Amino acid sequence: MDYGFTEQQQEIVNLARAIAQKKIRPVREHYDQTEEFPWPIVEELRKVGLFGVYLPEEVDGLGGGNLELVLAAEELSKACGGIALCVATSSLCALPILLYGSPELRKKYLPDLATGKKLGAFNITEPGAGSDATATKATAVLQGDHYVVNGIKNFCSTGKDADTYVIFATTNPNRGARGISAFVVEKGTPGFTFGKKEEKMGIRANGTYELVFQNCKIPKENLIYKEGYGLFIAQLTFDYSRPGVAAQAIGIAQGALDETMSYIRQRKQFGQSISSFQAIQHMMADCATQIEAGRALLYATVRAMDASNGPAIRKAMEENKVVADCMNELDTKRWTKESGMVKVFCSDTAMRVATDCVQMCGGIGYMRDFPVEKYMRDAKITQIYEGTNQIQRNEIAMMMIKEAASKSKKDLVAA
Amino acid sequence: MHIVVCVKQTPAATQVPVDAATGKLKTEGLPYGLNPWDEYAIEEAIRIKEKLAGSTVTVLSLGPARAEEAIRAAIALGCDEGAHLVDPSFDGTDNMGSSYLLSLGIRKLNAAKPVGLVLCGKQSNDNESGSVAPALGAWLDWPSVAYVRKFASIDEKLAKIERAAEDGTDSLEVDLPAVVSVIKEINEPRLPSLKGKMNSKKAPVAKWGAAELQAEAAKVSAGGRLEIVGQTPPPPRGGGIVVPGATAQEKAAFVANKLKELKFI
Ligand SMILES: Cc1cc2nc3c(=O)[nH]c(=O)nc-3n(C[C@H](O)[C@H](O)[C@H](O)COP(=O)(O)OP(=O)(O)OC[C@H]3O[C@@H](n4cnc5c(N)ncnc54)[C@H](O)[C@@H]3O)c2cc1C
């Protein structure tokens, strides 16, 4: 379907597709099996400039928005959702800096993330704080010109292979949710090491690590925005980034269906190709319909988000201000509900489609030397990270109730 | 160093039908792209530019209006600007005429900023003559080397290069400026960067016709001195054989018979 992309957006699609199909597809099994980090592919992505498509030109990005990021993530994920993840985690690290960072912090960290010279990671999760980030236990104590961080963060994607990390720790345990703050930490900072590497079901090309902080000193300037703003920062970041997970999901679903279509047309049983059976045809039609519905929701939502966020980001760049402050000044809409909807719909679609693709292929679909089972393993994570789909539904419902309440209040005033 | 890369826009298709009536290739409506061999010349030019500080690369192409796309595709890869030789009187010229026109383009570029090296692909994927680069050297009266697979070293004055020969490799030293055509073994062409793509849309591309080049009409006349007697597509490749048989033994027996039939065993 023609979604009316700009020339630049079409170039992103073409380039990401070329890398996905020519460079990633031939090696994805290798990285899935070995769990090595795909450095040669990172180098390709760097060279063509796919890391910074959504970042402003002022910080060496291409000047696009969320749609540009989503298009790159979708195309790369069609070949391998695990390898594509390094682009997403770099954006997850860049976004809190873009949205809440001071102009100085932006200038210091975003250009290297935009060019891909450095990879980024983002870690809010802890062993005791998953869905409930308010339970964060890691601490950051201000001592003179630096914070001293202690604690264990876990499940960090691109864990050991990033250079720049955004992490969350409490600066005031007495204040609970309002005591959590966000920091930028560089790899190699004394007191910052890596713990356990997880063994995973899917997205195995991207290592998931524990981050260990033992009296780790972070310069005071690396606090993002103000103390106590950590969860606001995380929420605004997720509002922006969850469509990226949706894009990964849609890419995985489409990749699985493409592989399946080429197999079921040539596989013969009962003297005919299995794609001639109506039971299979209905399954493929449902898969394609759900993917297209997800994609349409995804593109429509990020377009609306870009139109809404764009002016605040531009204003912040031009006037040397913090983006979130400009959003407040311009009364920019919050996208929590819509971005949750996109993530839920597309990731549930990916899981269903990938499962049906294995079913359509039959026994071979279950085998490791055939590409479809990997899509099913990779699809599962999209329902879990950046907030499980249960949490998304909670947030969607909460926003609905708030909206309904404020509407009935308005109606009351009007009446 | 000022490097010039000559590129041609050619059909990006492996099967080009022949018009039965005229005996000519039916190129209307085909997708066009950079001649694949030129991609290696472009890549080598960019690598030399990256090595020799202060270098620039100009893309030169002779062809109809659409050939500008090929020039911009080369700029997207990292070349700096382009020159497009375009004029109705250039249409249908032969390889002698093409190389003559390209030599005039290079003279013009050379007058503005002395050229140190001209790079070409070894041949185009449509005519496959491989004669344009050597002829270009002759028109310019510059040294020319074809089938180059490596630049061992290069500075402003001298290039040490390796030329592929049937029985090995020739190691040559060439005074610059020179014309060099390259083969696929020389490098692995990069993909364009997004910034390169966006910049290429704005990069300057000069348009030079017969008047600007002061081309002599007799040397470029349509068809030139070349007479095309006829053209036919290459015979299609035969399909493979699917080995029949329900068991490994049956399959092996079939293969053994086939090999005997073909007198391989
Ligand atoms: C491969 C992988 C990579 C990851 N990468 C990162 C990363 O880079 N950075 C990072 O910070 N984190 C990362 N995570 C962590 C991820 O975001 C969390 O796993 C996720 O938010 C869920 O938290 P949890 O695992 O603690 O599950 P829990 O919170 O323990 O949830 C368990 C179950 O309970 C449900 N549940 C919990 N609370 C509620 C509720 N209130 N209402 C209804 N249901 C509820 C959940 O939906 C889930 O089904 C990653 C996780 C994985 C598996």
Side-chain angles (χ1 to χ4, degrees), chain A residues 85-136:
Chain A
L85 185 55
C86 65
V87 175
T89 63
S90 270
S91 72
L92 205 47
C93 170
L95 286 169
I97 303 174
L98 174 72
L99 297 172
Y100 268 98
S102 63
E104 293 72 36
L105 219 47
R106 289 203 299 254
K107 219 165 126 195
K108 182 161 181 202
Y109 289 107
L110 294 183
D112 283 350
L113 292 169
T115 56
K117 187 173 165 207
K118 291 187 174 165
L119 296 184
F122 172 101
N123 205 184
I124 188 163
T125 305
E126 292 183 7
S131 298
D132 180 12
T134 64
T136 296

Coordinates of all heavy atoms in Angstrom, one line a residue, chain A residues 85-136:
Chain A
L85 N 17.5 -4.7 16.9 CA 17.3 -4.1 18.3 C 18.3 -3.1 18.7 O 18.1 -2.1 19.4 CB 17.2 -5.2 19.3 CG 16.9 -4.8 20.8 CD1 15.6 -4.0 20.8 CD2 16.8 -6.0 21.6
C86 N 19.6 -3.2 18.1 CA 20.6 -2.2 18.5 C 20.2 -0.8 18.1 O 20.6 0.2 18.8 CB 22.0 -2.6 18.0 SG 22.1 -2.6 16.2
V87 N 19.5 -0.7 17.0 CA 19.0 0.7 16.6 C 18.0 1.2 17.6 O 18.0 2.4 18.0 CB 18.4 0.7 15.2 CG1 17.8 2.0 14.8 CG2 19.5 0.2 14.1
A88 N 17.1 0.3 18.0 CA 16.0 0.7 19.0 C 16.6 1.1 20.3 O 16.2 2.1 20.9 CB 15.0 -0.4 19.1
T89 N 17.6 0.3 20.8 CA 18.1 0.6 22.2 C 18.9 1.9 22.1 O 18.9 2.7 23.1 CB 19.0 -0.5 22.8 OG1 20.1 -0.7 21.9 CG2 18.2 -1.8 22.9
S90 N 19.6 2.2 21.0 CA 20.3 3.4 20.9 C 19.3 4.6 21.0 O 19.6 5.6 21.6 CB 21.1 3.5 19.6 OG 22.4 3.0 19.8
S91 N 18.2 4.4 20.3 CA 17.2 5.5 20.4 C 16.6 5.6 21.8 O 16.3 6.7 22.2 CB 16.1 5.2 19.3 OG 15.2 4.2 19.7
L92 N 16.4 4.5 22.4 CA 15.9 4.5 23.8 C 16.8 5.2 24.8 O 16.4 5.8 25.8 CB 15.7 3.0 24.3 CG 14.6 2.7 25.3 CD1 13.3 3.4 25.0 CD2 14.4 1.2 25.4
C93 N 18.1 5.2 24.4 CA 19.1 5.9 25.2 C 19.1 7.4 24.8 O 19.2 8.3 25.6 CB 20.5 5.3 25.0 SG 21.8 6.3 25.6
A94 N 18.9 7.7 23.5 CA 19.0 9.0 23.0 C 17.7 9.8 23.4 O 17.8 11.0 23.6 CB 19.2 9.1 21.5
L95 N 16.6 9.2 23.4 CA 15.3 9.9 23.6 C 15.2 10.6 24.9 O 14.8 11.8 24.9 CB 14.1 9.0 23.4 CG 13.9 8.6 21.9 CD1 12.8 7.5 21.8 CD2 13.4 9.8 21.1
P96 N 15.5 10.0 26.1 CA 15.5 10.8 27.3 C 16.4 12.0 27.3 O 16.1 13.1 27.8 CB 15.9 9.8 28.4 CG 16.3 8.6 27.7 CD 15.9 8.6 26.3
I97 N 17.5 11.8 26.6 CA 18.5 13.0 26.5 C 17.9 14.0 25.6 O 18.0 15.2 25.8 CB 19.9 12.5 26.0 CG1 20.4 11.4 26.9 CG2 20.8 13.7 25.9 CD1 21.7 10.7 26.4
L98 N 17.3 13.6 24.5 CA 16.6 14.6 23.5 C 15.5 15.3 24.2 O 15.4 16.5 24.1 CB 16.1 13.8 22.3 CG 15.3 14.7 21.3 CD1 16.2 15.7 20.6 CD2 14.6 13.9 20.3
L99 N 14.6 14.5 24.9 CA 13.4 15.1 25.4 C 13.6 15.9 26.7 O 12.9 16.9 26.9 CB 12.4 14.0 25.6 CG 12.0 13.2 24.4 CD1 11.1 12.0 24.7 CD2 11.2 14.1 23.4
Y100 N 14.5 15.4 27.6 CA 14.6 16.1 28.9 C 16.0 16.6 29.1 O 16.3 17.3 30.1 CB 14.2 15.1 30.0 CG 12.8 15.2 30.4 CD1 11.8 14.3 29.9 CD2 12.4 16.2 31.3 CE1 10.5 14.4 30.3 CE2 11.0 16.3 31.7 CZ 10.1 15.4 31.2 OH 8.8 15.4 31.6
G101 N 17.0 16.3 28.3 CA 18.4 16.7 28.5 C 18.6 18.2 28.3 O 17.9 18.8 27.5
S102 N 19.5 18.8 29.0 CA 19.9 20.2 28.7 C 20.6 20.3 27.4 O 21.1 19.3 26.9 CB 20.9 20.6 29.8 OG 22.1 19.8 29.7
P103 N 20.6 21.5 26.8 CA 21.3 21.6 25.5 C 22.8 21.1 25.6 O 23.3 20.5 24.6 CB 21.3 23.1 25.3 CG 20.1 23.6 26.0 CD 20.0 22.7 27.2
E104 N 23.4 21.2 26.8 CA 24.8 20.8 26.9 C 24.8 19.2 26.9 O 25.7 18.6 26.2 CB 25.4 21.2 28.3 CG 25.6 22.7 28.4 CD 24.3 23.5 28.5 OE1 23.4 23.0 29.2 OE2 24.2 24.6 28.0
L105 N 23.9 18.6 27.6 CA 23.9 17.1 27.6 C 23.6 16.6 26.1 O 24.1 15.6 25.7 CB 22.8 16.7 28.5 CG 23.1 15.4 29.4 CD1 24.4 15.5 30.1 CD2 22.0 15.3 30.5
R106 N 22.7 17.3 25.5 CA 22.3 16.9 24.1 C 23.6 17.0 23.2 O 23.8 16.1 22.4 CB 21.3 17.9 23.5 CG 19.9 17.8 24.1 CD 18.9 18.4 23.1 NE 19.1 19.8 22.7 CZ 18.3 20.8 23.2 NH1 17.3 20.6 24.0 NH2 18.5 22.0 22.8
K107 N 24.3 18.1 23.4 CA 25.5 18.3 22.5 C 26.6 17.3 22.8 O 27.3 16.8 22.0 CB 26.0 19.7 22.8 CG 26.5 20.3 21.5 CD 26.7 21.8 21.7 CE 28.1 22.2 21.3 NZ 28.4 23.6 21.8
K108 N 26.6 16.9 24.1 CA 27.7 15.9 24.5 C 27.4 14.5 24.0 O 28.3 13.8 23.6 CB 27.8 16.0 26.0 CG 28.9 15.1 26.5 CD 29.4 15.4 27.9 CE 30.5 14.5 28.3 NZ 30.7 14.4 29.8
Y109 N 26.2 14.1 24.1 CA 25.9 12.6 23.9 C 25.2 12.3 22.6 O 25.3 11.2 22.1 CB 25.1 12.1 25.1 CG 26.0 11.9 26.3 CD1 25.9 12.8 27.4 CD2 27.0 11.0 26.3 CE1 26.7 12.7 28.5 CE2 27.9 10.9 27.4 CZ 27.7 11.7 28.5 OH 28.5 11.6 29.6
L110 N 24.3 13.2 22.1 CA 23.5 12.8 20.9 C 24.3 12.6 19.6 O 24.0 11.7 18.9 CB 22.3 13.8 20.8 CG 21.3 13.7 21.9 CD1 20.1 14.6 21.7 CD2 20.8 12.3 22.2
P111 N 25.3 13.5 19.3 CA 25.9 13.3 18.0 C 26.5 11.9 17.8 O 26.3 11.3 16.7 CB 27.0 14.4 18.0 CG 26.4 15.5 18.8 CD 25.7 14.7 19.9
D112 N 27.2 11.3 18.8 CA 27.7 10.0 18.7 C 26.7 8.9 18.6 O 26.9 7.9 17.9 CB 28.7 9.7 19.8 CG 30.0 10.4 19.7 OD1 30.3 11.0 18.6 OD2 30.8 10.4 20.6
L113 N 25.5 9.2 19.2 CA 24.4 8.2 19.1 C 23.8 8.3 17.7 O 23.3 7.4 17.1 CB 23.4 8.4 20.2 CG 23.9 8.1 21.6 CD1 22.9 8.6 22.7 CD2 24.1 6.5 21.8
A114 N 23.7 9.6 17.2 CA 23.1 9.8 15.9 C 23.9 9.2 14.8 O 23.3 8.6 13.8 CB 22.9 11.3 15.7
T115 N 25.2 9.2 14.9 CA 26.0 8.7 13.8 C 26.3 7.2 14.0 O 26.7 6.5 13.1 CB 27.4 9.3 13.7 OG1 28.0 9.2 15.0 CG2 27.3 10.8 13.4
G116 N 25.9 6.7 15.2 CA 26.2 5.3 15.5 C 27.6 5.0 15.9 O 28.0 3.9 16.1
K117 N 28.4 6.1 16.0 CA 29.8 5.9 16.5 C 29.7 5.2 17.9 O 30.6 4.4 18.2 CB 30.4 7.3 16.6 CG 31.9 7.2 16.9 CD 32.5 8.6 16.9 CE 33.9 8.6 17.5 NZ 34.3 9.9 18.1
K118 N 28.7 5.6 18.7 CA 28.5 4.9 19.9 C 27.1 4.3 20.0 O 26.2 4.9 19.4 CB 28.7 5.8 21.1 CG 30.2 6.3 21.3 CD 30.4 7.1 22.5 CE 31.9 7.4 22.6 NZ 32.1 8.5 23.6
L119 N 27.0 3.1 20.6 CA 25.7 2.6 20.8 C 25.1 3.0 22.2 O 25.9 3.2 23.1 CB 25.7 1.0 20.7 CG 26.1 0.5 19.3 CD1 26.1 -1.0 19.3 CD2 25.3 1.0 18.2
G120 N 23.8 3.0 22.3 CA 23.2 3.4 23.5 C 22.4 2.2 24.1 O 22.0 1.3 23.4
A121 N 22.2 2.3 25.5 CA 21.3 1.4 26.1 C 20.5 2.2 27.2 O 20.9 3.3 27.6 CB 22.1 0.2 26.7
F122 N 19.4 1.5 27.7 CA 18.5 2.2 28.6 C 18.1 1.2 29.7 O 17.7 0.1 29.3 CB 17.3 2.6 27.8 CG 16.1 3.2 28.6 CD1 15.9 4.5 28.7 CD2 15.2 2.3 29.2 CE1 14.8 5.0 29.3 CE2 14.1 2.8 29.9 CZ 13.9 4.2 29.9
N123 N 18.3 1.5 30.9 CA 18.0 0.5 31.9 C 17.2 1.1 33.1 O 17.8 1.8 34.0 CB 19.3 -0.2 32.4 CG 19.0 -1.6 32.9 OD1 20.0 -2.2 33.4 ND2 17.8 -2.1 32.9
I124 N 15.9 0.7 33.2 CA 15.1 1.1 34.3 C 14.8 -0.1 35.2 O 14.7 0.0 36.4 CB 13.8 1.9 33.9 CG1 13.1 2.4 35.0 CG2 12.9 0.9 33.0 CD1 12.0 3.5 34.7
T125 N 14.8 -1.3 34.6 CA 14.4 -2.5 35.3 C 15.4 -2.9 36.3 O 16.6 -2.7 36.2 CB 14.3 -3.7 34.2 OG1 13.3 -3.2 33.2 CG2 13.7 -4.9 34.9
E126 N 14.9 -3.5 37.4 CA 15.7 -4.1 38.5 C 15.1 -5.4 38.8 O 13.9 -5.7 38.5 CB 15.7 -3.2 39.7 CG 16.5 -1.9 39.5 CD 16.5 -1.1 40.8 OE1 16.1 -1.6 41.9 OE2 17.0 0.1 40.7
P127 N 15.8 -6.3 39.5 CA 15.2 -7.6 39.9 C 13.9 -7.4 40.6 O 13.0 -8.2 40.4 CB 16.3 -8.2 40.8 CG 17.6 -7.6 40.3 CD 17.3 -6.2 39.9
G128 N 13.8 -6.4 41.4 CA 12.6 -6.2 42.2 C 11.7 -5.1 41.6 O 10.6 -4.8 42.2
A129 N 12.0 -4.5 40.5 CA 11.3 -3.5 39.9 C 11.1 -3.7 38.4 O 12.0 -3.2 37.6 CB 11.9 -2.1 40.2
G130 N 10.1 -4.4 38.0 CA 9.8 -4.7 36.6 C 8.7 -3.8 36.1 O 8.9 -2.6 35.8
S131 N 7.5 -4.3 36.1 CA 6.3 -3.5 35.8 C 6.2 -2.3 36.7 O 5.7 -1.3 36.3 CB 5.1 -4.4 35.8 OG 5.1 -5.4 34.9
D132 N 6.6 -2.5 37.9 CA 6.5 -1.5 39.0 C 7.8 -0.8 39.1 O 8.6 -1.1 40.0 CB 6.0 -2.1 40.3 CG 5.9 -1.1 41.4 OD1 5.9 0.1 41.1 OD2 5.7 -1.5 42.5
A133 N 8.0 0.2 38.3 CA 9.3 1.0 38.4 C 9.4 1.8 39.6 O 10.5 2.2 40.0 CB 9.5 1.9 37.1
T134 N 8.3 2.0 40.3 CA 8.4 2.8 41.5 C 9.2 2.1 42.6 O 9.6 2.7 43.6 CB 7.0 3.2 42.1 OG1 6.3 2.0 42.5 CG2 6.1 3.9 41.1
A135 N 9.4 0.8 42.4 CA 10.1 0.0 43.4 C 11.6 0.0 43.3 O 12.3 -0.7 43.9 CB 9.6 -1.5 43.4
T136 N 12.1 1.0 42.4 CA 13.5 1.1 42.2 C 14.3 1.2 43.5 O 14.0 2.0 44.3 CB 13.8 2.4 41.3 OG1 13.1 2.2 40.0 CG2 15.3 2.6 41.1

